[in-house]
Amino acid sequence: MAAPMAARSVRWAVRAAAAGPILLRPAPSSCLPRPALCSGSRSALGSILGVPSEKPSGALGRHPPPVASNREEQERLLRGRPDQPRNPRVLRIAIIGAPNAGKSTLCNQLLGRKVFPVSKKVHTTRCKARGVVTHEDTQLIILDTPGLTNRFKVKRHKLDEAMLTDPWDSMKHADLVLVLVDVSDHWTRNSLSKEVLKCLSEFPQVPSVLVLNKVDLLKKKFLLLELVNELTEGTVNGKKLEVRAAFEQNSSSSAGSPLQITQASPSENRAPKQARGGSGMENHSDVKASESSVVTGEPQGPTQNGPKDVKDRKGWPCFQEIFMLAALHGEEVDTLKRYLLMQAKPGPWEFHSGVLTSQSPQEVCNNIIREKILEYLPLEVPYGVTQVTEMWEEGQSGELLIVQSLLVPRKSHMMMLIGRGGKVISRIAQEAGQDLMNAFLCDVRLKLKVEVKS
């Protein structure tokens, strides 16, 4: 079943969701990068360029370990010496992007267990946290960071000052950075935010990968070609891309004149790196394509730094790969995971193989409860809630007993949080308790109390 799904997903990227078959004209062989084989389907870039790849193997590794429900046990695992394999490999990955792009959702999918909070509201992630993926002799250290923001928004949402510095600190320790873009947001998808561009230009030596998320929500998949061109400035992996597509208009299509994607300036390219692994998506659209072609230019000479001036810039010409996925449903996440495993370099592990996250059990609990509060309270109300854990004990049958007080600034907020007949707070406790059971792999009895701050 995995192979057909991968094949369909690759066609999604290649065809840009054209309804009918298209004619793909690959560039001359001298212009194409040498194929790099990986145990996964092709990346979006590889799909567009027509680079062959091996069929994906089965699921990646064993089930992820649970988070230790006991603080002392978690600290013992974090402080203890990692159980190093004979030839360890490691990769530190920073995931950056605008708020609500799906960074924490992608982290949870890569880890295989939910340990980071996810919400439709912005600024759900308040501080950087590390997730750990251990597969055979390779360890991926994923740095989940708050969405890149500015000082005004930090003050508006009553956020910690660390929200401004954590993403930048993560870049200092990263071997690779994933830049996540929500393609379903038509207000922001055509350009990278100024904060993201500043971060990339400040650390041009860190290899960067563009990840287009929420592709399943994009009805007109041919727009992916435009987005790829705009977000990469027509240059990927040190090569110029030229995409031409002619679309036939039908009654329900908004596609007009043929799409012409221009080439990027040679001076903006960095040294090419070999493309591996990758992704794509499925084929759906109301547009019929009659012709499409992609051409790559000659590799550009190496430069020490990426473009510094980001004032008038919308994209980044130094991405070495492109991935298209739907993190919420896990579509093509394994393909990205395989690529990341292939990028790991020889080096000692930083964590024991039994560690899933650097967070304490209490931090995991607080984050998951806050996620539910963000979901069920309107507007700015949830950002003023303070959480206080009053009890954290193991019951006689091994179950975890948790009592937490939720302190709110106003009585009206308390009434909203409790809900009519206690329905809202009961639903929050039920859903958070289920998520905690999945994280700790034990029975959890969670009791929440709501009080007005004195």
Side-chain angles (χ1 to χ4, degrees), residues 288-359:
K288 185 175 181 181
S290 59
E291 184 178 357
S292 176
S293 64
V294 182
V295 181
T296 55
E298 292 295 334
Q300 305 302 314
T303 58
Q304 287 298 110
N305 298 305
K308 285 288 185 182
D309 185 15
V310 299
K311 183 178 180 180
D312 300 317
R313 188 175 294 278
K314 291 186 176 181
W316 181 250
C318 301
F319 290 118
Q320 70 175 29
E321 261 291 10
I322 308 170
F323 287 82
M324 302 178 187
L325 49 81
L328 182 62
H329 306 294
E331 295 178 21
E332 292 304 317
V333 173
D334 264 5
T335 304
L336 174 60
K337 193 172 181 178
R338 288 187 178 93
Y339 172 81
L340 297 174
L341 290 168
M342 292 290 291
Q343 302 307 305
K345 300 295 188 292
W349 286 3
E350 293 186 18
F351 296 95
H352 190 278
S353 60
V355 172
L356 187 66
T357 176
S358 63
Q359 302 172 96

Side-chain angles (χ1 to χ4, degrees), residues 17-20 219-220 222 246-257 284-290:
K219 293 182 179 180
K220 298 175 181 177
F222 70 86
F247 295 98
E248 291 181 4
Q249 210 172 3
N250 61 25
S251 59
S252 61
S253 173
S254 60
S257 58
H284 296 290
S285 182
D286 54 1
V287 185
K288 185 175 181 181
S290 59

Side-chain angles (χ1 to χ4, degrees), residues 57-77:
S57 58
L60 289 174
R62 58 186 176 84
H63 290 294
V67 179
S69 60
N70 182 279
R71 181 188 289 271
E72 288 72 24
E73 173 66 15
Q74 178 74 345
E75 290 180 353
R76 184 187 66 80
L77 287 171

